[in-house]
Amino acid sequence: MVVGQSYGGYLAPIVAQLAMADHLVLVAPMIPQPGETADDMWEASGWHMPRDHSGIIEVFYHDVDPDLAREAMSHGRQQSETTGREPWPLDAWPNVPTHVVLCQNDRFFPADWLRGVVRDRLGIEPDELPCGHTPALSRPRELVELIESYRSPASPSATSNSPNQ
């Protein structure tokens, strides 16, 4: 199983294909299309930088315990902008059962926007958690339980093949 969160949605499908993963799980993800740069994805999907919140904690960690949010921030690194300008290299979405976890209170990828992106680009319904952009910190137990449920043959929102086929 390969899990990618946020910008990791750009890389996780590549890893899932190369590793021949049995599942691909995307949490509050970017969802690229073949040949599309990350920058192009923003424009094509209608995403806009949140304007009504200021600061990283306010956007990404608003529902995380403040001490844990500060600890997470202390380990942060600047993200490379290089991949934002490079075309996504896969010719098609990998032929791997794919699941998306949507965060209902996400201030960076608003639920209404991401729900539409998931449906349009993957043709599946996302599973939803009542949290912000970082459920591994705000709702770790619920996130793990949901991800583990995908191993079950009757898992929620499972696709048995590539969503774009």
Side-chain angles (χ1 to χ4, degrees), residues 68-153:
L68 183 55
R70 282 189 292 279
E71 176 70 17
M73 293 281 300
S74 76
H75 297 284
R77 295 187 308 267
Q78 187 67 17
Q79 189 165 275
S80 171
E81 299 295 324
T82 303
T83 57
R85 295 180 295 273
E86 295 177 357
W88 194 59
L90 298 182
D91 293 331
W93 200 260
N95 190 15
V96 175
T98 301
H99 308 270
V100 174
V101 179
L102 180 145
C103 302
Q104 295 169 334
N105 304 316
D106 194 333
R107 294 179 177 172
F108 191 66
F109 291 158
D112 288 342
W113 170 81
L114 187 56
R115 205 175 282 117
V117 170
V118 171
R119 289 174 182 152
D120 292 347
R121 291 179 172 231
L122 300 179
I124 62 174
E125 290 297 317
D127 293 305
E128 301 190 17
L129 290 177
C131 59
H133 193 74
T134 53
L137 299 178
S138 64
R139 300 273 186 160
R141 184 178 312 275
E142 293 93 332
L143 180 61
V144 168
E145 288 172 355
L146 182 58
I147 291 171
E148 284 297 320
S149 78
Y150 297 146
R151 294 184 187 279
S152 165

Side-chain angles (χ1 to χ4, degrees), residues 2-48:
V2 172
V3 179
Q5 203 263 330
S6 194
Y7 204 85
Y10 193 86
L11 180 62
I14 299 166
V15 173
Q17 181 168 300
L18 291 172
M20 296 183 284
D22 61 346
H23 289 277
L24 172 59
V25 180
L26 304 173
V27 180
M30 291 180 62
I31 302 173
Q33 292 184 328
E36 181 178 65
T37 68
D39 293 342
D40 291 341
M41 192 212 108
W42 302 132
E43 187 173 333
S45 65
W47 179 86
H48 300 285

